[in-house]
Amino acid sequence: MRFSSYWRNNVLSSCAQDWLDKSRILENLSDFARTQITALDLFFTLPSTNTYLLSSTTSGHVCLAEHQSAGRGRRGKTWVSPLGGNIYLSLRWHFVKAVQELSGLSLVVGLAVAKTLEEYGVPALSLKWPNDVLVNNQKIAGVLVELAGKEGAVVIGIGINGRLSPSHGAGITQPWTDIATHCQQPVQRNVLLALLLETLLTHIARFETFGFSHFQDQWKNWDTLAGKAITLTLADGCFVHGIAQGVDSQGALLVKTPSGQRVYHGGEVSVRRAINKQHKILK
Ligand code: BTN
């Protein structure tokens, strides 16, 4: 269902809520960003903004929703997507690159989200490889990049917790936080979205030209895992313990293990800080 005038006039106007507004987002964008966006669809509710754009054919197509009934996270998880306080954004982009050259993209998107939130005033931000955006080790935003069939075509999905009630947060299986907890003012999602699109599109342009190596140094400033004992869970369910050692020029995670340095690519790998006992074993 599109965000119809019926909803705006009869239902939403009775609430003191800063609803998403396409013209307010667009008017805060630079000429550069406006030329990159070929369409911007805003929905009251959708199953998933990513799923919606997987059926698009247009690079630069942006989709936003106030609510997702089947929001999707990485590794088949659900992304908790209640109405009205958060950001659910997807962007379809057709890169002139082969699939293997796209491996660092999800880290670049994570960097764009972290920088946007920092500029918005959120403190104590960091990134957990490949792209969890954290505040004091609690997740505030997540990124889901999906291949969209055609060579080089992707859908980039970003979820940011703007204002999440404890009852909705109870459905999240890891420590979480939201912007409202860290900023004094009510969250201005239209302003934040313009900032996010601007930063995202600039990062995409640089990634397209220079690849991930352009961002490798920047990653070090945000990397919450570097030098820490971690446990990786691989796609086959096996665990690997080691010390995180940053990322390589493709964005792959470098891990020092008892049998030498190993390299892990995103996809189906999950990583968490190791408990003290494992830390001792590794030393
Ligand atoms: C993660 O697991 O950290 C990734 C979360 C990605 C959520 C966003 S919300 C907008 C877009 N639509 C979805 O269904 N998922 C992504």
Side-chain angles (χ1 to χ4, degrees):
M1 176 174 48
R2 282 194 190 251
F3 207 152
S4 68
S5 56
Y6 172 82
W7 273 101
R8 190 179 299 286
N9 298 334
N10 299 294
V11 182
L12 306 181
S13 57
S14 59
C15 317
Q17 165 78 39
D18 187 24
W19 295 101
L20 297 180
D21 182 331
K22 197 167 150 174
S23 56
R24 284 183 60 201
I25 297 166
L26 290 172
E27 78 195 13
N28 280 306
L29 291 177
S30 68
D31 288 345
F32 163 75
R34 264 187 244 128
T35 56
Q36 302 298 297
I37 296 170
T38 51
L40 195 161
D41 290 341
L42 168 59
F43 291 87
F44 181 70
T45 185
L46 267 185
S48 152
T49 55
N50 260 39
T51 306
Y52 176 75
L53 284 189
L54 284 173
S55 328
S56 167
T57 51
T58 320
S59 186
H61 193 165
V62 174
C63 177
L64 296 165
E66 288 282 7
H67 167 265
Q68 295 185 122
S69 56
R72 296 187 289 109
R74 289 181 63 235
R75 291 179 291 112
K77 286 191 181 168
T78 297
W79 186 256
V80 173
S81 308
L83 178 68
N86 305 307
I87 284 179
Y88 316 119
L89 172 144
S90 297
L91 166 69
R92 185 174 175 112
W93 201 262
H94 297 180
F95 287 93
V96 188
K97 281 183 187 294
V99 174
Q100 53 278 18
E101 292 178 271
L102 293 174
S103 59
L105 174 64
S106 71
L107 284 78
V108 172
V109 176
L111 275 168
V113 176
K115 288 179 194 173
T116 302
L117 289 173
E118 184 177 61
E119 197 172 335
Y120 190 77
V122 178
L125 286 153
S126 62
L127 285 162
K128 189 184 122 207
W129 185 89
N131 53 31
D132 282 354
V133 186
L134 309 177
V135 173
N136 297 326
N137 288 317
Q138 297 172 312
K139 188 157 168 173
I140 195 165
V143 174
L144 175 67
V145 177
E146 298 183 286
L147 298 177
K150 188 173 168 292
E151 176 88 353
V154 295
V155 173
I156 296 165
I158 298 171
I160 302 179
N161 299 333
R163 195 180 58 251
L164 207 56
S165 68
S167 62
H168 283 119
I172 302 177
T173 56
Q174 66 188 111
W176 62 272
T177 190
D178 60 9
I179 299 174
T181 304
H182 301 280
C183 294
Q184 306 295 321
Q185 305 298 322
V187 182
Q188 296 186 51
R189 290 182 301 152
N190 293 302
V191 173
L192 180 61
L193 270 166
L195 204 55
L196 177 60
L197 283 167
E198 197 75 42
T199 314
L200 182 61
L201 291 163
T202 311
H203 279 61
I204 284 175
R206 287 191 195 135
F207 177 73
E208 199 148 35
T209 310
F210 304 114
F212 181 78
S213 57
H214 175 80
F215 297 92
Q216 196 179 353
D217 265 358
Q218 295 178 31
W219 180 265
K220 291 179 191 154
N221 300 328
W222 298 88
D223 187 354
T224 189
L225 293 178
K228 308 261 170 51
I230 58 166
T231 300
L232 286 126
T233 309
L234 307 184
D236 60 6
C238 289
F239 298 110
V240 175
H241 306 301
I243 306 288
Q245 296 191 305
V247 297
D248 70 9
S249 62
Q250 306 296 306
L253 182 68
L254 302 173
V255 184
K256 182 177 159 194
T257 74
S259 57
Q261 190 182 67
R262 294 199 206 161
V263 181
Y264 293 95
H265 297 268
E268 295 304 297
V269 178
S270 93
V271 54
R272 60 186 163 81
R273 295 270 299 276
I275 56 171
N276 287 340
K277 207 169 139 205
Q278 289 160 336
H279 193 88
K280 277 188 195 135
I281 293 167
L282 288 163
K283 279 183 166 177

